[in-house]
Amino acid sequence: MKFDSDIGKLARLMAESIAGTSRRNAILSEMRIQPGDTIIDVGCGAGHLLPHLAKAVGGSGTIYGLDPTTDQMEQAKKRCEDFQNIIFIEEHADKSDLQDESCDSATSTQALEYIPNVDAALDEITRIIKPGGAFVNISILWDHFKFFGADEKLNDKVHEAFRAHCSHQMLPMELPGKLAHRGFSMIRDKSLAYLITKRDENSPARYTEAVMANFALTQGMTEAEVSDWKSQLEAAEQQGRFGFTSFPVLTVGYLN
Ligand SMILES: C[S@@+](CC[C@H](N)C(=O)[O-])C[C@H]1O[C@@H](n2cnc3c(N)ncnc32)[C@H](O)[C@@H]1O
């Protein structure tokens, strides 16, 4: 999936919604940040987490925001222009150009699942973390990313089309093994699952519906089918039988 133009804009709206805020809170409470730390956010997107990290490490610390999408990076730079301790790296996750063991910890939110060669990205993250440092990741269990309320067959068709939007549908299931294999220990995971029954303007369900509808069109579904799906969700909401579930998982491990 490309994160420029409309999709990038929708990803930013998601990041600004309650779903984005609760993820950032979960990361910050897991990270055990010390003043002076150096931390990298891999796939930082429009940089919503970066100011929080920058404040936590203070002026003697450094935050790296890495993302390969120019459009997202431009938004991140604008958001972080008041911070002197944030450095941007416009690169893919498998090529940070940082020195070995240069970060006290690393974090990533809803980015690793989009990287086809996720093992190369994890190798790079492992290389740049100091021994004892944490890696805190949030990825979504996409098989549980579901709308309810539309006709089952049509609904399944939209969800099936959406599978192509990312390379790893169930990364949180594989991540503990991948981290253990790279020398991480004390690996834990935590559910950040949520359910939404309204699709008002500021609801993540509304933005997600728009993302999935646009994506389904790129996968060959017709305008009529997609518009029918949206109308059926709207009707379901009015009748009090609408639902949207998402199952993000926070995984944390410490490098030996
Ligand atoms: C859904 S956005 C999440 C952005 C941000 N972490 C957040 O929570 O708002 C996914 C991000 O992953 C980035 N991404 C895609 N492929 C990547 C790669 N190979 N390495 C690093 N980031 C990548 C995209 O550019 C995009 O900004």
Side-chain angles (χ1 to χ4, degrees), residues 232-248:
Q232 288 183 20
L233 291 180
E234 189 178 348
E237 185 197 16
Q238 282 161 9
Q239 293 158 15
R241 52 178 185 80
F242 167 80
F244 167 67
T245 57
S246 180
F247 200 147

Side-chain angles (χ1 to χ4, degrees), residues 197-218:
T197 55
K198 294 269 179 248
R199 43 190 288 297
D200 53 89
E201 285 300 325
N202 291 317
S203 153
R206 176 60 74 91
Y207 308 137
T208 303
E209 183 184 308
V211 170
M212 285 181 71
N214 289 346
F215 194 81
L217 292 173
T218 70

